[in-house]
């Protein structure tokens, strides 16, 4: 049995000199960089002329080995996607690092600090045409840790496979490909997940959209609840905005890209109260002319807002132009008279949708 000591144990600082392999493994352990990733920092911007790229002052930690590129030039292949690699060959001690341009990602995970071989890692892709660079993309730098404990995590976007939270998780945007299990979940903007399990309370402030919702206890939403699949619940409560009648739905649905074959309309804001739909048009000028003759301008995708039969309307613009439209039971908004570019629609539409008692479908 052998315990190898290095400079950290040296009484005077001269005993137990550290080896390059041990130094590389130390970098990897401290930084959370394994053989699948790397660290890169451009201290000054790169320059590009034609099919030549120059790394003016760039630092790397690759396989635990630190090195720098100073005014290092590479030549790219025209009209293709170039894969720029770091290559480390410790069998060439005088020149162990090289930068190559490949036609594919040839990265590997060879453990050169405990064995032999040539380690390769792609750190950038560059797309070219016949004369120069079209676009480039840096390969993401990743920290790899078995476990992380922190008091506060602040991130614009968090992407994980599974999340388990014992107390409380608060985030502006969470994207989970597997499942979320939490006692208390608060999301102020958007949550996308394949499976959501809440053993305590899940609160949705505005809009919940799901393919399938299963609730064993109680589900409460203060705004909209929309499901395209099935809803299985023991207790579902939908709380609308404060309104004259507590049972009335006063939640707006926004259609802001009603774009069809005849041009762009802008947006149409629809409000549903009981079984009455009120639609307000954008006050922005139409960016292009809209054809007549029944041309489809856009679609209403929410079935609960579609009329039971085709409805016809006469709309007026601020210039006094009359515009005739219809909305059919499939949700298609059609133009029956042309509308010139730059028209400002100063009007609204109303229709009745099929409902049951108190307007709830």
């Amino acid at each position: 049995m052998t315990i190898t000591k290095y400079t950290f144990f040296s009484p005077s600082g001269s005993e137990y000199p550290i080896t390059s392999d041990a130094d590389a493994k130390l970098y990897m352990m401290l930084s959370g960089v394994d053989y699948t990733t790397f660290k890169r920092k451009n201290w000054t911007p790169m320059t590009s002329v034609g099919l030549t790229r120059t790394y003016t002052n760039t630092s790397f930690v690759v396989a635990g080995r630190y090195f720098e590129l100073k005014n290092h030039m590479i030549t790219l292949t025209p009209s293709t996607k170039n894969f720029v690699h770091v290559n480390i060959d410790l069998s060439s001690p005088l020149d162990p690092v090289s930068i190559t341009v490949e036609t594919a990602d040839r990265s590997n995970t060879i453990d050169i600090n405990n064995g032999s071989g040539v380690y390769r890692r792609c750190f950038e892709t560059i797309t070219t045409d016949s004369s120069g660079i079209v676009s480039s993309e840096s390969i993401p730098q990743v920290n790899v840790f078995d476990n992380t404990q922190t008091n506060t995590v602040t991130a614009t976007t968090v992407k994980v496979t599974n999340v388990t939270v014992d107390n409380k998780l608060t985030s502006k945007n969470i994207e989970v490909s597997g499942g979320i299990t939490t006692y208390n979940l608060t999301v102020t903007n958007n949550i996308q997940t394949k499976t959501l399990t809440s053993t305590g309370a899940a609160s949705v402030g505005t809009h919940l959209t799901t393919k399938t919702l299963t609730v064993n206890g109680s589900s409460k939403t203060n705004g909209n609840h929309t499901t395209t699949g099935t809803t299985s619940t023991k207790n579902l409560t939908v709380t609308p905005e404060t309104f004259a009648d507590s049972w009335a739905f006063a939640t707006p649905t926004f259609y802001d890209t009603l774009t069809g074959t005849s041009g762009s309309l802008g947006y149409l804001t629809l409000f549903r109260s009981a079984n009455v739909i009120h639609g307000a048009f954008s006050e922005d000028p139409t960016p292009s002319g809209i054809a007549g003759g029944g041309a489809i301008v856009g679609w209403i995708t929410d079935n609960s807002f579609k009329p039971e039969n085709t409805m016809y309307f006469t709309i007026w613009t601020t210039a006094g132009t009359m515009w005739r439209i219809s909305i059919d039971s499939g949700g298609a908004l059609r133009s029956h008279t042309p509308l010139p570019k730059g028209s400002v629609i100063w009007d609204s539409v109303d229709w009745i949708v099929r409902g049951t008692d108190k307007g709830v479908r």
Side-chain angles (χ1 to χ4, degrees):
M1 181 178 72
T2 302
I3 297 178
T4 303
K5 301 180 291 295
Y6 291 110
T7 304
F8 314 104
F9 295 93
S10 171
S12 65
S14 60
E15 297 92 351
Y16 317 127
I18 193 168
T19 66
S20 59
D21 288 343
D23 198 30
K25 287 184 279 189
L26 175 63
Y27 271 119
M28 296 179 73
M29 293 176 66
L30 292 178
S31 62
V33 174
D34 63 10
Y35 292 106
T36 66
T37 185
F38 61 95
K39 288 297 179 184
R40 169 190 171 190
K41 175 67 175 179
N42 295 318
W43 301 106
T44 57
M46 299 172 291
T47 61
S48 301
V49 178
L51 293 171
T52 300
R53 166 157 286 188
T54 302
Y55 298 91
T56 57
N57 187 3
T58 301
S59 295
F60 285 90
V61 176
V62 182
R65 308 284 170 151
Y66 176 81
F67 60 92
E68 300 175 351
L69 300 182
K70 295 291 185 67
N71 295 318
H72 184 86
M73 293 187 295
I74 60 171
T75 301
L76 304 168
T77 303
S79 302
T80 190
K81 186 174 184 179
N82 296 262
F83 296 79
V84 188
H85 288 69
V86 169
N87 308 281
I88 300 178
D89 184 0
L90 299 181
S91 65
S92 301
L94 298 181
D95 192 18
V97 179
S98 62
I99 306 297
T100 59
V101 178
E102 311 285 347
T103 58
D105 188 345
R106 307 189 190 282
S107 302
N108 61 41
T109 55
I110 294 175
D111 184 357
I112 59 173
N113 296 317
N114 293 293
S116 61
V118 179
Y119 178 80
R120 313 186 75 182
R121 179 57 45 189
C122 177
F123 65 88
E124 186 174 22
T125 60
I126 305 174
T127 302
T128 58
D129 57 18
S130 59
S131 60
I133 295 175
V134 177
S135 63
S136 63
E137 182 179 1
S138 297
I139 303 300
Q141 303 175 50
V142 180
N143 283 30
V144 181
F145 297 103
D146 292 334
N147 292 284
T148 301
Q149 293 183 352
T150 179
N151 293 328
T152 302
V153 175
T154 302
T156 302
T157 301
V158 179
K159 295 183 179 181
V160 294
T161 302
N162 286 284
V163 177
T164 300
V165 181
D166 295 329
N167 188 11
K168 185 177 182 180
L169 172 64
T170 301
S171 173
K172 183 178 180 181
N173 190 10
I174 303 176
E175 185 173 332
V176 179
S177 58
I180 295 178
T181 302
T182 175
Y183 178 77
N184 189 359
L185 171 65
T186 301
V187 178
T188 57
N189 186 16
N190 185 34
I191 179 171
Q192 295 178 339
T193 177
K194 185 177 180 181
T195 302
L196 171 63
T197 303
S198 177
T199 57
S203 177
V204 180
T206 303
H207 198 169
L208 172 63
T209 301
T210 176
K211 184 176 181 181
T212 301
L213 174 66
T214 302
V215 181
N216 295 323
S218 177
S219 174
K220 294 182 179 181
T221 172
N222 295 328
N224 283 346
H225 163 231
T226 302
T227 175
T228 58
T230 61
T231 300
S232 302
T233 176
K234 183 178 179 181
N235 185 11
L236 174 64
T237 303
V238 178
T239 306
E241 300 290 336
T242 302
F243 203 62
D245 295 307
S246 61
W247 46 264
F249 283 81
T251 305
T253 296
F254 297 93
Y255 298 95
D256 56 359
T257 54
L258 281 177
T259 302
T261 57
S262 59
S264 177
L265 176 62
Y267 67 80
L268 173 62
T269 305
L270 299 181
F271 299 86
R272 176 172 177 168
S273 179
N275 62 336
V276 177
I277 305 299
H278 174 75
F281 289 92
S282 167
E283 295 182 0
D284 297 328
T286 54
S288 61
I290 298 177
I296 297 178
V297 181
W299 296 90
I300 297 174
T301 56
D302 192 328
N303 290 332
S304 65
F305 284 76
K306 298 175 183 178
E308 190 171 1
N309 300 298
T310 302
M311 307 295 293
Y312 297 90
F313 304 96
T314 299
I315 307 299
W316 295 93
T317 69
T318 55
T321 304
M322 181 180 66
W323 185 37
R324 296 186 182 276
I325 65 170
S326 67
I327 301 175
D328 61 30
S329 59
L333 191 154
R334 298 176 182 271
S335 172
H336 297 281
T337 55
L339 192 65
K341 176 183 177 181
S343 297
V344 177
I345 302 171
W346 205 348
D347 212 334
S348 60
V349 291
D350 298 275
W351 66 88
I352 304 297
V353 295
R354 180 171 57 88
T356 58
D357 180 39
K358 296 185 178 178
V360 182
R361 297 193 69 171

